[in-house]
Amino acid sequence: MWSQLVHKTRRMTCFLLPYYHNSPSTTKLIFTPHYSSSVFLRPVSSPAVRAFCSKSGAMSSLLSLQNPDYVSFLKQREAAEIDETLMGPLGFSVDQLMELAGLSVATSIAEVYKPTEYSRVLAICGPGNNGGDGLVAARHLHHFGYKPFVCYPKRTQKPLYSGLVTQLESLSVPFLSTEDLPLDLSKDFDILVDAMFGFSFHGAPRPPFDDLIQRLVCLHSNDQTHQKGPVIVSIDIPSGWHVEEGDIGGEGIKPDMLVSLTAPKLCAKKFCGSHHFLGGRFVPPVIADKYKLHLPPYPGTSMCVRIGKPPQVDISTLRENYISPEFLEEQVESDPVDQFRKWFDDAMAADLREPNAMALSTAGKDGKLSSRMVLLKGVDKDGFVWYTNYESRKARELSENPCASLLFYWEGLNRQVRIEGSVQKVSDEESEQYFHSRPRGSQIGAIVSKQSSVVPGRHVLYQQYKELEEKFSDGSLIPKPAHWGGYRLKPKLFEFWQGQQSRLHDRLQYSPQEIDGKLVWKIDRLAP
C-alpha cells in the first residue's frame, strides 16, 4: 500500500512513512523518508486508515477503478428482467429510460473527448432501443457544442422514435443515408457512436448493419498503421458482440469507449478499450438489492461514472486548446482590485465550485517554498483576507518572511489571477467577528486543530471534537482560540491570465508606480 524501496544506500532502505497532519476538516497524510536496514516492510495500518477505506465514497469509487470485479456484471436474462421491472411496477416509461441513457452517453463522451478537438460526431443508430439511445445522445451532444450527424437506415414509425427524429431535425442535425456515408469514415468524423444493437439482439447482423459494423472493424485495422482515426464509442454492447461471451471470433468492433447502461453486461469484461463508463443513476435500491448489484457512487451531479481500470496516459500529450474572448488593455479596470472583483463575479455567475479557493505560497527565512489551498474570506482596497492557525507552518513562515503570493484558478473560464504582496495579521476584533460568524462545528474544529503538528490518528481528532461538542451543547458562546485568526495580503503586483488558442495567452500585469506623488497602477502586456 505504501511506497517502498525508493532509495538504497549502503544496505539501508529508504521508504516513505505516513503520519497524520491535524486539520479541522480534512485528514492529511504526510510522507517523509525514513531509513531501515530491512528491505521487507509491512503495510502501515491504523483504525483511522481502515475507517477511511471502509466508509469513504471516494474509496469505493477508487476500488471500482482498480478492480473490475468490484462492479456487478449482468447476464442477458438479468438485464431483460431489470428492464421489465423498471418499466412495470417501478413506473418508468421507455422514453424516460431512453432519455436518461442517451444523456449518460453524451456526458460520458464529453468527459473524455472535448468538442474543441473531437467536434464531428456520427451516430449510427439501429431500429431498437439502442438506436433510440443514440438519437437522444446526438441531441445532447449538439447542445454540448458538438456537430452531430446521424445515420438511421432502418427507421421505425413508432411515435417515440419519430419524435426523436423530429427533435434532431428541428436542430438542423443532418441525417445521412448509408449511401451518403464515405467508405472511409476516418476522414469526415472524429467520433463514431455505435448505437446499432443492444443486449436484446439475437443472431447475425443483416444489411445494412453488417456492412456498417465491418467499416468500424476496418477502422481499427487501419489504426495499426499508426494513422490517427476517429474514436469509436459503443452504447452498452459493442454491436456484433455476444452479450455474455463478447467478441467471440476476435474480429469484431474494438471500441475506444464503452458506455454501459444500468450495470455492465458480462461481455464488458472482455472490453479492452481505454474508457469504460457506467450510466444508470436511475437504478433504485430495490433493484440493486434484488440483484445484489455493486455499483460505484456517481460524483456530484454527473450522470456517468468511470469504471474499470483507469487509462494509461502519456502525460506529455495532455494539453488543452483554450478558446476565450480577447482580453485587451482598453477593456480592463484601471484598479486591479476592481478587475479582480469583475472576474470573481464572473466565476460566481458561472457557478464554479469554490471560486474563492486560492493557492497560498510562502517561504521561511531559509527560502524553502511551500504552497497550499486556502479560502479567500474578504477583499477590499486594503487587501485579501484569509483565516488559519497561527501555529501552522504557513504562519511560522509568514512570521519569518511576511511576503506571500496568491493564485486563483477558474478552470471553467480559462482564467487565473496571481497576486504578490506583503502580509500582516488582521486585528483581533476582525478575527473575533469572523470566528463567531462561522458554523459552530467549524468553530470547534478550529479549537481542536493544531495545524502542522503530528497526531496519532483521526480518532484522536474525533474524540477531542466530541468532547468540545458536548461541552458547548448548551449553545453557549465558543471562545476563539488565541492560536487562530486572519491574515491580510496587501498587493504589490497583479497578473491576470486568460487562456487562448495556440498558447498565445493573454497576460496583463499591474504594478504600482508613483506619478506626481500619487500611486497609480501601470498595466503591461506580458508575453505568454
Side-chain angles (χ1 to χ4, degrees):
M1 182 175 181
W2 310 112
S3 299
Q4 302 180 25
L5 222 63
V6 296
H7 184 63
K8 185 186 289 186
T9 304
R10 296 182 182 177
R11 296 187 178 181
M12 297 292 287
T13 301
C14 173
F15 60 96
L16 298 180
L17 180 66
Y19 66 87
Y20 283 87
H21 233 288
N22 189 342
S23 173
S25 59
T26 59
T27 298
K28 295 192 287 184
L29 285 176
I30 307 301
F31 292 82
T32 56
H34 289 259
Y35 290 87
S36 168
S37 58
S38 172
V39 297
F40 298 101
L41 303 176
R42 296 181 179 180
V44 177
S45 180
S46 75
V49 171
R50 289 193 294 270
F52 176 73
C53 292
S54 62
K55 297 179 181 178
S56 168
M59 184 58 69
S60 298
S61 184
L62 181 61
L63 286 171
S64 71
L65 281 172
Q66 295 176 338
N67 181 12
D69 292 329
Y70 178 79
V71 180
S72 299
F73 291 79
L74 295 176
K75 297 179 180 178
Q76 187 176 35
R77 175 185 55 79
E78 294 171 329
E81 288 178 359
I82 289 175
D83 267 13
E84 291 175 3
T85 304
L86 287 170
M87 292 183 287
L90 293 182
F92 285 89
S93 62
V94 178
D95 52 337
Q96 277 183 311
L97 294 175
M98 199 171 287
E99 186 68 26
L100 291 168
L103 178 59
S104 299
V105 171
T107 54
S108 298
I109 291 173
E111 281 283 323
V112 178
Y113 305 112
K114 304 305 179 186
T116 52
E117 298 180 39
Y118 298 84
S119 62
R120 305 166 301 169
V121 181
L122 174 64
I124 306 175
C125 301
N129 289 352
N130 203 258
D133 297 341
L135 295 174
V136 174
R139 169 161 45 82
H140 286 292
L141 288 170
H142 169 84
H143 292 301
F144 291 172
Y146 295 83
K147 298 176 181 177
F149 299 78
V150 176
C151 178
Y152 189 25
K154 294 290 185 180
R155 301 191 185 191
T156 175
Q157 298 305 312
K158 293 181 180 179
L160 169 59
Y161 296 89
S162 59
L164 295 176
V165 170
T166 300
Q167 293 164 16
L168 288 167
E169 290 175 338
S170 71
L171 298 173
S172 299
V173 172
F175 279 77
L176 306 177
S177 68
T178 52
E179 293 77 16
D180 294 331
L181 293 178
L183 291 176
D184 184 0
L185 297 175
S186 64
K187 295 180 179 179
D188 294 344
F189 304 105
D190 305 307
I191 301 175
L192 301 173
V193 178
D194 162 29
M196 288 180 272
F197 302 117
F199 68 82
S200 60
F201 180 78
H202 295 276
R206 294 191 293 270
F209 297 106
D210 54 351
D211 177 65
L212 291 169
I213 290 174
Q214 193 56 41
R215 292 197 204 185
L216 299 186
V217 171
C218 290
L219 283 175
H220 174 74
S221 301
N222 292 339
D223 276 349
Q224 304 309 308
T225 63
H226 303 289
Q227 297 176 359
K228 183 182 182 299
V231 297
I232 301 174
V233 178
S234 288
I235 298 180
D236 208 25
I237 304 292
S239 294
W241 283 28
H242 189 281
V243 66
E244 294 180 1
E245 298 177 29
D247 182 15
I248 299 175
E251 298 178 352
I253 297 173
K254 304 293 191 297
D256 302 273
M257 173 185 283
L258 175 64
V259 184
S260 294
L261 300 173
T262 307
K265 313 309 179 285
L266 271 178
C267 68
K269 287 191 173 184
K270 307 292 180 64
F271 171 69
C272 297
S274 300
H275 309 285
H276 189 186
F277 280 80
L278 174 65
R281 199 165 192 165
F282 50 85
V283 177
V286 63
I287 291 287
D289 293 342
K290 179 178 179 180
Y291 291 91
K292 296 180 173 56
L293 298 181
H294 295 283
L295 301 176
Y298 287 78
T301 58
S302 180
M303 288 299 298
C304 62
V305 59
R306 184 185 288 276
I307 57 178
K309 294 182 179 180
Q312 298 298 312
V313 178
D314 180 357
I315 296 177
S316 67
T317 66
L318 295 178
R319 59 181 54 86
E320 289 284 344
N321 193 22
Y322 301 103
I323 299 178
S324 307
E326 291 182 329
F327 183 47
L328 304 175
E329 291 87 333
E330 56 267 25
Q331 297 173 345
V332 302
E333 302 292 333
S334 59
D335 189 313
V337 175
D338 293 335
Q339 181 62 40
F340 174 85
R341 286 184 177 277
K342 187 176 180 180
W343 273 20
F344 187 84
D345 289 344
D346 289 344
M348 289 289 293
D351 199 26
L352 301 184
R353 186 179 182 185
E354 291 196 311
N356 60 329
M358 57 186 187
L360 167 66
S361 297
T362 57
K365 60 184 178 182
D366 57 5
K368 293 181 180 179
L369 294 165
S370 64
S371 299
R372 76 288 292 158
M373 300 301 295
V374 298
L375 296 178
L376 177 71
K377 289 300 177 180
V379 56
D380 54 29
K381 299 297 183 183
D382 294 325
F384 293 72
V385 176
W386 69 93
Y387 292 86
T388 188
N389 188 302
Y390 284 153
E391 296 174 352
S392 63
R393 174 179 175 178
K394 55 184 170 293
R396 291 196 299 270
E397 290 176 346
L398 286 171
S399 68
E400 298 172 355
N401 178 11
C403 295
S405 71
L406 307 175
L407 176 65
F408 294 84
Y409 177 57
W410 298 307
E411 184 268 341
L413 298 174
N414 301 333
R415 290 173 175 174
Q416 60 178 307
V417 181
R418 186 167 63 86
I419 307 165
E420 299 176 3
S422 58
V423 179
Q424 62 183 21
K425 291 181 180 179
V426 305
S427 66
D428 289 339
E429 293 77 16
E430 192 172 347
S431 291
E432 189 83 31
Q433 182 179 7
Y434 174 72
F435 180 82
H436 291 296
S437 73
R438 307 175 82 206
R440 291 178 66 83
S442 297
Q443 295 180 40
I444 293 174
I447 299 174
V448 171
S449 173
K450 297 178 177 59
Q451 280 189 359
S452 303
S453 62
V454 177
V455 295
R458 191 169 180 82
H459 61 285
V460 176
L461 305 180
Y462 278 134
Q463 182 61 37
Q464 294 175 356
Y465 185 92
K466 288 181 178 179
E467 290 174 359
L468 288 174
E469 192 176 38
E470 177 63 27
K471 178 179 179 179
F472 296 109
S473 61
D474 58 357
S476 58
L477 184 72
I478 301 174
K480 182 187 79 66
H483 63 253
W484 189 94
Y487 285 99
R488 176 177 283 105
L489 181 142
K490 186 173 181 61
K492 295 183 178 178
L493 181 142
F494 284 80
E495 183 180 299
F496 293 83
W497 178 98
Q498 185 164 272
Q500 297 291 358
Q501 296 188 61
S502 304
R503 301 196 61 78
L504 296 178
H505 311 309
D506 288 317
R507 289 177 64 191
L508 296 184
Q509 179 179 280
Y510 289 74
S511 55
Q513 192 173 32
E514 189 172 314
I515 299 178
D516 297 331
K518 294 180 62 177
L519 183 66
V520 297
W521 289 94
K522 179 187 176 186
I523 302 175
D524 293 304
R525 176 171 290 274
L526 303 182

